[in-house]
Amino acid sequence: GQNIDQPTEMTATEGAIVQINCTYQTSGFNGLFWYQQHAGEAPTFLSYNVLDGLEEKGRFSSFLSRSKGYSYLLLKELQMKDSASYLCAVMDSNYQLIWGAGTKLIIKP
Amino acid sequence: GAGVSQTPSNKVTEKGKYVELRCDPISGHTALYWYRQSLGQGPEFLIYFQGTGAADDSGLPNDRFFAVRPEGSVSTLKIQRTERGDSAVYLCASSLTFESSPLHFGNGTRLTVT
């Protein structure tokens, strides 16, 4: 079967750095997405990785290793507004998105 | 509009009733998706449209659920004989193309079946 694993919840301190991991087992691979979802709101697109390596976009970076079935989202200089759920999603061989359950990130002052 | 629009934002209905949920995608986006999401879970795929046709409806849980997109733009998700287990947030998303384009989500319709 197809599976996306990410931690249920993480806590970090304002101003610090946090890394949210995602491992996946899917039928084929056509890219990995990270989305941010604030409570009661829709998911919003953060990043897309299809090749191995690190993609940096401001305070957020996303890394992919296809051979390991592994990705992480790195958030730097954490702000209180970064408190949200972070969803990892993989596009399989049928271009179907397989979603993780999300990691709830709690930022403490 | 600038983003994906979903109406209503909230819908409370009684068990056994029929409901329609509407999605207006971003102009020019050919792909349209319906998901539903329960608290603490990721989105659960329901159906995907490429243009007017349902390209993949494998996620619809049973024949009480049906969706249309008659003119390749606005889509309606229809649920017959609603059950309490149908209570969830129903999310619509659109993307420019099917492959590898990021999805743009609407704010969802929170459906509560009493």
Side-chain angles (χ1 to χ4, degrees):
Chain A
Q2 308 205 88
N3 195 48
I4 309 286
D5 283 317
Q6 46 182 137
T8 304
E9 188 175 295
M10 299 182 71
T11 303
T13 305
E14 189 177 16
I17 298 173
V18 71
Q19 178 176 311
I20 303 174
N21 295 325
C22 170
T23 58
Y24 62 88
Q25 291 177 309
T26 56
S27 303
F29 180 84
N30 279 301
L32 184 144
F33 296 81
W34 284 97
Y35 282 79
Q36 179 190 60
Q37 187 174 26
H38 285 99
E41 298 182 9
T44 55
F45 169 74
L46 288 178
S47 68
Y48 170 67
N49 294 67
V50 68
L51 299 176
D52 288 353
L54 188 68
E55 295 278 344
E56 297 188 74
K57 193 186 293 186
R59 294 188 299 113
F60 293 7
S61 302
S62 57
F63 171 83
L64 174 68
S65 168
R66 288 172 298 173
S67 62
K68 295 181 179 178
Y70 167 70
S71 171
Y72 67 72
L73 181 69
L74 191 72
L75 292 75
K76 304 175 187 175
E77 301 167 18
L78 286 169
Q79 302 174 9
M80 298 303 293
K81 69 178 182 179
D82 297 330
S83 293
S85 285
Y86 291 85
L87 298 159
C88 173
V90 173
M91 187 166 275
D92 69 9
S93 57
N94 294 321
Y95 295 96
Q96 181 67 265
L97 270 179
I98 312 301
W99 293 83
T103 297
K104 182 179 180 181
L105 178 62
I106 300 167
I107 310 294
K108 295 186 175 180
Chain B
V4 177
S5 175
Q6 289 188 248
T7 54
S9 55
N10 280 284
K11 177 70 178 178
V12 180
T13 191
E14 292 180 349
K15 179 176 178 295
K17 299 290 188 182
Y18 168 81
V19 296
E20 288 190 353
L21 312 180
R22 176 189 167 105
C23 173
D24 200 341
I26 293 173
S27 177
H29 280 195
T30 59
L32 185 147
Y33 304 76
W34 283 100
Y35 289 88
R36 71 178 175 183
Q37 188 175 27
S38 299
L39 195 63
Q41 299 297 316
E44 173 194 359
F45 171 75
L46 295 176
I47 187 170
Y48 149 71
F49 289 90
Q50 181 68 20
T52 60
D56 183 351
D57 64 357
S58 62
L60 295 177
N62 52 59
D63 61 6
R64 295 186 298 106
F65 289 74
F66 189 69
V68 295
R69 194 187 185 198
E71 296 177 0
S73 179
V74 171
S75 176
T76 305
L77 177 66
K78 308 180 182 193
I79 311 174
Q80 298 177 319
R81 305 183 304 278
T82 51
E83 299 177 357
R84 292 195 180 88
D86 299 335
S87 296
V89 175
Y90 288 80
L91 294 168
C92 176
S94 69
S95 66
L96 194 57
T97 62
F98 179 35
E99 299 89 355
S100 308
S101 295
L103 301 186
H104 298 265
F105 284 87
N107 284 328
T109 295
R110 181 174 298 279
L111 176 66
T112 304
V113 182
T114 61

